[in-house]
Amino acid sequence: MVNANLLKGKIVAAGHNQQSLAPKVGMSVNSLNAKINGRKKFDTEEVGKICKALGITDPREKCDIFLS
């Protein structure tokens, strides 16, 4: 399960919102929103793209966000 609040905070801190992040990671806004809110699951490629776009490099931080 994704820690939605933590991920949303990281998105804002990186200067994005869901609308601006979605195309950068190759998703529609609806798909990104569904995954952030736990209605669908992220795959490992998507997690990698999101982390790259948001500048998340710390493995512990990745786990806190995507494996909570």
Side-chain angles (χ1 to χ4, degrees), residues 1-4 7-8 18 26-44 46-47 50 65-68:
M1 184 65 82
V2 172
N3 183 331
L7 180 53
K8 288 175 184 178
Q18 291 182 32
M27 289 184 192
S28 70
V29 175
N30 288 339
S31 291
L32 180 60
N33 182 271
K35 292 178 182 201
I36 289 173
N37 291 303
R39 293 187 304 275
K40 295 184 178 181
K41 294 185 179 187
F42 286 106
D43 66 31
T44 55
E46 293 165 339
V47 169
I50 290 169
I65 296 169
F66 295 100
L67 299 175
S68 65

